[in-house]
Amino acid sequence: MPFPIKEVRAAYPALSDGHAYLDGAAGTQVPQPVIDAIATAYRTGIGNVGGTFPASHRSDAIVAACRAAVADLVGGRPDGVILGPNMTTLTYRLSRAIAGPGDEVVVSRLDHDANVRPWTQTGATVRWAEVDPVTGELPVEQYAGLINERTRVVAVSAASNILGTRPDVAAIAELAHRAGALMYVDGVHATPHGPVDMGGDGRRLLRDERVQVGRAAHRRGRRRSRAAGDTAS
């Protein structure tokens, strides 16, 4: 089935100017349903979560629906979804909570700095996975010599933001889990382009950023609706 490029572009008001927005990291344009949802929330009235008044209840419902939608997108559980200001900030917060002096962390030269710097600043010993300069791939075999019983976290990208390289995350995760380490996957540049399945492994952590996933989430949502017999446009 050919990709419905005209249909997808029509869902994004910002694309009506005829330009192609290539810098996804600077902020992805959003489809009309997202614009409508944000506008509706502000028209209805929202407040701090966890309160006893109607505006707070509406905010609670929005957050719960968001967690459910993200869990559906990545194959996770709603109670495992953490919402925050951005991917980098969340990585900093998590890195400080789970790694420190006496631990070891494994990072890669392939990754965006946001999945490297937070881990290198924890005080843990840092081990580096290198990129093959000829192929641009991240060889899995090297991880066997990088991961050991002191490894606390293995951080790796599911897709390079520069080369587009897609490492064998499953194989790396198997090595990490065998050593009892946590697997922290940067899905920012992978999630918009294909299905993601977190599986049932509680030791795998996936991070995403909403500015990167709008296009894919809208496209997959329409496919799911059609499969269920929903013909709404």
Side-chain angles (χ1 to χ4, degrees), residues 88-199:
T88 305
T89 301
L90 286 174
T91 303
Y92 264 109
R93 291 175 179 173
L94 182 65
S95 68
R96 296 304 185 271
I98 64 176
D103 296 323
E104 292 190 6
V105 296
V106 180
V107 297
S108 89
R109 304 285 185 190
L110 184 73
D111 275 67
H112 188 283
D113 185 66
N115 198 29
V116 174
R117 192 183 299 269
W119 302 107
T120 63
Q121 294 178 349
T122 60
T125 299
V126 180
R127 294 182 175 272
W128 290 89
E130 303 291 342
V131 178
D132 186 320
V134 176
T135 65
E137 298 295 328
L138 188 68
V140 173
E141 296 76 15
Q142 65 183 308
Y143 280 87
L146 296 172
I147 298 171
N148 57 56
E149 68 280 359
R150 292 182 298 278
T151 304
R152 178 62 173 157
V153 177
V154 177
V156 68
S157 176
S160 167
N161 65 303
I162 297 176
L163 301 177
T165 301
R166 299 183 67 108
D168 190 343
V169 172
I172 297 171
E174 183 178 352
L175 293 171
H177 297 163
R178 194 180 302 164
L182 292 163
M183 184 75 176
Y184 190 75
V185 181
D186 176 1
V188 169
H189 301 281
T191 304
H193 302 289
V196 177
D197 185 9
M198 286 285 292

Side-chain angles (χ1 to χ4, degrees), residues 1-6 8 215 219 223:
M1 178 180 178
F3 182 74
I5 183 65
K6 291 184 178 179
V8 171
R215 175 174 58 243
R219 185 167 67 243
R223 282 205 297 263

